[in-house]
Amino acid sequence: GESVGLHLPTLSVQEGDNSIINCAYSNSASDYFIWYKQESGKGPQFIIDIRSNMDKRQGQRVTVLLNKTVKHLSLQIAATQPGDSAVYFCAEKTSGSRLTFGEGTQLTVNP
Amino acid sequence: ETGVTQSPTHLIKTRGQQVTLRCSSQSGHNTVSWYQQALGQGPQFIFQYYREEENGRGNFPPRFSGLQFPNYSSELNVNALELDDSALYLCASSYAGNTLHEAFFGQGTRLTVV
């Protein structure tokens, strides 16, 4: 079936570096994508979203890039901080408001 | 904080029992979705409620059922609990009139079935 997956299960970076988390999706009909951050013991927290008619969207220290040609989504975090350590999920909106999540990438920020 | 609250935060049940989990949606939101998140996995869509009716369902058996109330709060009921039902159950609320349908999640209920 259609699914959203991630290229790397873990990512370790030094504090202050930029982080890039990748995601592949397979449903070419999806029109909306979201990145969530999930800290241990908490629910997913909305970070940033992007519609399929956009290639790039920027937020505070975060940028999402969408490449529809290769069905690839990425999340860039600038000047990564220890508080950014968490699991990051990309999610794809399929039918209605149903979200399909990938398996997640564990980001670890080393001081 | 998203304004989505879930209760209880943790509970332990015995195989075969029934459980009810509760969710209060964020103010102004009229749609509630439930997800199951197994350890180390991404959330899996269970079902969604809109205007007190089920509006989409994932690949979960009928022993997973739900309700939505006039105030848009919701319950998830699971009958005949199995060990594999142990997971974090997440509730997400959204507003159906928002074309982006941004969903905000609660903190989840950690269910352990023994």
Side-chain angles (χ1 to χ4, degrees), chain A residues 32 36 38 43 51 89 97 99 102, chain B residues 35 37 42 48 100-101 103 106:
Chain A
Y32 179 51
Y36 285 95
Q38 187 173 26
R51 300 193 72 174
F89 293 97
S97 61
L99 293 174
Chain B
Y35 291 80
Q37 186 176 23
Q48 180 186 89
L100 291 181
H101 229 119

Side-chain angles (χ1 to χ4, degrees), chain B residues 34-111:
Chain B
W34 286 92
Y35 291 80
Q36 179 195 67
Q37 186 176 23
L39 196 62
Q41 302 290 322
Q44 298 291 314
F45 177 76
I46 302 174
F47 44 55
Q48 180 186 89
Y49 277 82
Y50 172 64
R51 292 184 174 178
E52 302 178 50
E53 293 191 356
E54 188 177 292
N55 180 41
R57 188 179 184 92
N59 187 26
F60 281 82
R63 61 189 184 85
F64 286 77
S65 64
L67 287 171
Q68 185 179 33
F69 301 99
N71 66 354
Y72 305 123
S73 65
S74 178
E75 290 182 352
L76 165 66
N77 299 290
V78 187
N79 294 322
L81 284 166
E82 301 177 359
L83 297 180
D84 286 347
D85 295 334
S86 296
L88 181 67
Y89 287 85
L90 296 162
C91 165
S93 78
S94 57
Y95 177 63
N98 182 345
T99 55
L100 291 181
H101 229 119
E102 182 179 318
F104 294 93
F105 284 83
Q107 296 290 74
T109 294
R110 173 69 65 184
L111 172 65

Side-chain angles (χ1 to χ4, degrees), chain A residues 15-91:
Chain A
E15 181 178 358
D17 287 352
N18 296 331
S19 302
I20 300 176
I21 301 172
N22 296 304
C23 175
Y25 66 94
S26 57
N27 188 345
S28 57
S30 295
D31 60 359
Y32 179 51
F33 304 88
I34 308 174
W35 280 100
Y36 285 95
K37 171 187 180 184
Q38 187 173 26
E39 297 174 283
S40 181
K42 297 185 178 181
Q45 176 187 355
F46 174 91
I47 300 173
I48 192 168
D49 57 5
I50 189 168
R51 300 193 72 174
S52 60
N53 61 354
M54 302 172 69
D55 297 322
K56 178 179 180 179
R57 191 167 188 218
Q58 289 184 296
Q60 186 178 8
R61 282 202 307 118
V62 295
T63 300
V64 55
L65 299 177
L66 176 62
N67 185 331
K68 295 179 288 293
T69 301
V70 296
K71 299 178 188 173
H72 184 267
L73 196 68
S74 68
L75 175 69
Q76 300 178 0
I77 305 174
T80 313
Q81 303 168 0
D84 294 328
S85 293
V87 177
Y88 289 81
F89 293 97
C90 65

